[in-house]
mmCIF file of all heavy atoms in Angstrom:
data_model
loop_
_atom_site.group_PDB
_atom_site.id
_atom_site.type_symbol
_atom_site.label_atom_id
_atom_site.label_comp_id
_atom_site.label_asym_id
_atom_site.label_seq_id
_atom_site.Cartn_x
_atom_site.Cartn_y
_atom_site.Cartn_z
ATOM 1 N N LEU A 13 4.981 0.693 29.826
ATOM 2 C CA LEU A 13 4.570 -0.637 29.399
ATOM 3 C C LEU A 13 3.404 -1.143 30.289
ATOM 4 O O LEU A 13 3.562 -1.062 31.472
ATOM 5 C CB LEU A 13 5.792 -1.590 29.502
ATOM 6 C CG LEU A 13 5.536 -3.086 29.376
ATOM 7 C CD1 LEU A 13 5.116 -3.418 27.988
ATOM 8 C CD2 LEU A 13 6.810 -3.854 29.767
ATOM 9 N N ARG A 15 0.430 -4.483 30.738
ATOM 10 C CA ARG A 15 -0.056 -5.830 30.347
ATOM 11 C C ARG A 15 -1.572 -5.907 30.651
ATOM 12 O O ARG A 15 -1.978 -5.544 31.734
ATOM 13 C CB ARG A 15 0.721 -6.865 31.146
ATOM 14 C CG ARG A 15 2.206 -6.855 30.935
ATOM 15 C CD ARG A 15 2.898 -7.738 31.969
ATOM 16 N NE ARG A 15 4.334 -7.838 31.815
ATOM 17 C CZ ARG A 15 5.252 -6.954 32.211
ATOM 18 N NH1 ARG A 15 4.799 -5.835 32.911
ATOM 19 N NH2 ARG A 15 6.522 -7.121 32.021
ATOM 20 N N TYR A 30 0.079 -6.421 25.235
ATOM 21 C CA TYR A 30 1.090 -5.511 25.728
ATOM 22 C C TYR A 30 0.930 -4.136 25.064
ATOM 23 O O TYR A 30 0.847 -4.085 23.834
ATOM 24 C CB TYR A 30 2.498 -6.018 25.485
ATOM 25 C CG TYR A 30 2.810 -7.301 26.182
ATOM 26 C CD1 TYR A 30 2.592 -8.547 25.611
ATOM 27 C CD2 TYR A 30 3.345 -7.303 27.494
ATOM 28 C CE1 TYR A 30 2.867 -9.756 26.297
ATOM 29 C CE2 TYR A 30 3.643 -8.442 28.177
ATOM 30 C CZ TYR A 30 3.400 -9.686 27.567
ATOM 31 O OH TYR A 30 3.727 -10.858 28.221
ATOM 32 N N LEU A 32 2.740 -0.570 24.565
ATOM 33 C CA LEU A 32 4.016 0.099 24.613
ATOM 34 C C LEU A 32 3.768 1.578 24.289
ATOM 35 O O LEU A 32 3.212 1.875 23.231
ATOM 36 C CB LEU A 32 5.064 -0.440 23.671
ATOM 37 C CG LEU A 32 5.227 -1.977 23.583
ATOM 38 C CD1 LEU A 32 6.294 -2.344 22.579
ATOM 39 C CD2 LEU A 32 5.498 -2.559 24.905
ATOM 40 N N SER A 130 6.032 -15.037 26.133
ATOM 41 C CA SER A 130 6.269 -13.597 26.028
ATOM 42 C C SER A 130 6.889 -13.086 27.367
ATOM 43 O O SER A 130 6.578 -13.580 28.467
ATOM 44 C CB SER A 130 4.962 -12.841 25.777
ATOM 45 O OG SER A 130 3.996 -13.110 26.769
ATOM 46 N N ASP A 131 7.660 -11.999 27.187
ATOM 47 C CA ASP A 131 8.201 -11.291 28.331
ATOM 48 C C ASP A 131 8.276 -9.843 27.866
ATOM 49 O O ASP A 131 8.373 -9.534 26.632
ATOM 50 C CB ASP A 131 9.571 -11.827 28.673
ATOM 51 C CG ASP A 131 10.085 -11.284 30.049
ATOM 52 O OD1 ASP A 131 9.237 -10.732 30.801
ATOM 53 O OD2 ASP A 131 11.249 -11.437 30.364
ATOM 54 N N ALA A 132 8.303 -8.881 28.802
ATOM 55 C CA ALA A 132 8.357 -7.514 28.468
ATOM 56 C C ALA A 132 9.090 -6.725 29.520
ATOM 57 O O ALA A 132 9.017 -7.053 30.683
ATOM 58 C CB ALA A 132 6.904 -6.982 28.289
ATOM 59 N N ASP A 133 9.757 -5.654 29.099
ATOM 60 C CA ASP A 133 10.433 -4.795 30.024
ATOM 61 C C ASP A 133 10.686 -3.458 29.376
ATOM 62 O O ASP A 133 10.346 -3.263 28.194
ATOM 63 C CB ASP A 133 11.742 -5.408 30.525
ATOM 64 C CG ASP A 133 12.726 -5.733 29.420
ATOM 65 O OD1 ASP A 133 12.341 -5.555 28.233
ATOM 66 O OD2 ASP A 133 13.849 -6.187 29.697
ATOM 67 N N VAL A 134 11.208 -2.527 30.159
ATOM 68 C CA VAL A 134 11.541 -1.221 29.643
ATOM 69 C C VAL A 134 13.063 -1.082 29.694
ATOM 70 O O VAL A 134 13.683 -1.286 30.754
ATOM 71 C CB VAL A 134 10.878 -0.093 30.445
ATOM 72 C CG1 VAL A 134 11.320 1.302 29.923
ATOM 73 C CG2 VAL A 134 9.364 -0.223 30.389
ATOM 74 N N ARG A 140 9.726 -2.847 25.426
ATOM 75 C CA ARG A 140 9.869 -3.898 24.478
ATOM 76 C C ARG A 140 9.114 -5.145 24.930
ATOM 77 O O ARG A 140 8.913 -5.367 26.080
ATOM 78 C CB ARG A 140 11.316 -4.239 24.207
ATOM 79 C CG ARG A 140 12.026 -4.917 25.365
ATOM 80 C CD ARG A 140 13.494 -5.242 25.023
ATOM 81 N NE ARG A 140 14.115 -5.971 26.200
ATOM 82 C CZ ARG A 140 15.387 -6.281 26.217
ATOM 83 N NH1 ARG A 140 16.185 -5.988 25.263
ATOM 84 N NH2 ARG A 140 15.836 -6.885 27.353
ATOM 85 N N VAL A 141 8.754 -5.944 23.931
ATOM 86 C CA VAL A 141 8.124 -7.235 24.131
ATOM 87 C C VAL A 141 9.003 -8.261 23.370
ATOM 88 O O VAL A 141 9.343 -8.063 22.200
ATOM 89 C CB VAL A 141 6.686 -7.285 23.599
ATOM 90 C CG1 VAL A 141 6.114 -8.694 23.727
ATOM 91 C CG2 VAL A 141 5.771 -6.283 24.272
ATOM 92 N N THR A 142 9.345 -9.301 24.087
ATOM 93 C CA THR A 142 10.138 -10.414 23.520
ATOM 94 C C THR A 142 9.283 -11.657 23.434
ATOM 95 O O THR A 142 8.785 -12.119 24.469
ATOM 96 C CB THR A 142 11.392 -10.628 24.364
ATOM 97 O OG1 THR A 142 12.162 -9.435 24.366
ATOM 98 C CG2 THR A 142 12.262 -11.743 23.698
#
Side-chain angles (χ1 to χ4, degrees):
L13 166 69
R15 300 167 175 84
Y30 295 92
L32 315 181
S130 60
D131 193 12
D133 59 355
V134 178
R140 69 180 181 185
V141 176
T142 301

